[in-house]
Structure formats: C-alpha cells, structure tokens
Amino acid sequence: MFKAYTEFQKLKRVMIGRGLSPSIVENDSLRHRLTPTTKRLLIQLLDETEEDYQNLIKICKQFGVEVLRPEYSLTDTFDPYLMNPRDELIVLDNELVCT
C-alpha cells in the first residue's frame, strides 16, 4: 500500500490529521474544569481546525490525491498524532512506521 523512495515523487496518498470532536467539552474529565467562555472558545477552535482540514482535503482531492485520516474514539486521553500524523508516522520503503 505504501511506497516511498524519494521525497520528489508525485503525491498519490496523504494522511491529514484529525482534531478532537467539539463534544469533548462535555467529557466528564473536562466538563467541570472549563468555564463557559473557555468551552465556547474551545468549540470554536475545534470547528475552525476541522474546517481547515476539510479545505486541505478538498485541494488534495482536486489533484487526484487519496486522503487518509486517523481515527479516534472519544476518551479521556488524546493522542497528538491525530492532529499531526507527520510527527509520529513515516513511510520507509513499503512500510508505514508508527512511533
């Protein structure tokens, strides 16, 4: 599925990050620690981040690039690689290596 031999190949497939769902503000571990203003701003930030991701996805697809996105479940923990997969993943030869 993966092949990377040089950094100058035509882009065929890309992984674009995924932010948290705005419903995270209702998570039991956060609900009582956030002020109404903080909740509102966090929801706005998460919505705008996903909007940016969607715009990037649209551009990639216009050029025929297949877009992959990491999946997550709403838990108390958050894996940062979901937003920045390039920091945790690398393609070496025919393998996707996850740290």
Side-chain angles (χ1 to χ4, degrees), residues 32-98:
H32 304 294
R33 295 190 294 176
L34 300 177
T35 66
T37 300
T38 304
K39 284 183 186 181
R40 178 181 55 78
L41 293 173
L42 181 57
I43 289 171
Q44 180 180 344
L45 176 68
L46 294 171
D47 285 340
E48 289 178 7
T49 300
E50 184 59 29
E51 182 181 333
D52 291 343
Y53 284 140
Q54 290 301 321
N55 288 332
L56 180 57
I57 289 168
K58 181 181 173 184
I59 291 167
C60 289
K61 288 184 175 183
Q62 287 175 347
F63 287 95
V65 176
E66 178 186 357
V67 175
L68 305 172
R69 297 193 78 194
E71 294 295 329
Y72 68 92
S73 61
L74 186 61
T75 63
D76 287 344
T77 61
F78 172 62
D79 291 324
Y81 88 89
L82 296 173
M83 294 186 82
N84 298 302
R86 69 161 197 256
D87 295 340
E88 303 290 329
L89 307 172
I90 187 170
V91 176
L92 296 173
D93 195 24
N94 293 332
E95 307 242 344
L96 179 65
V97 179
C98 304

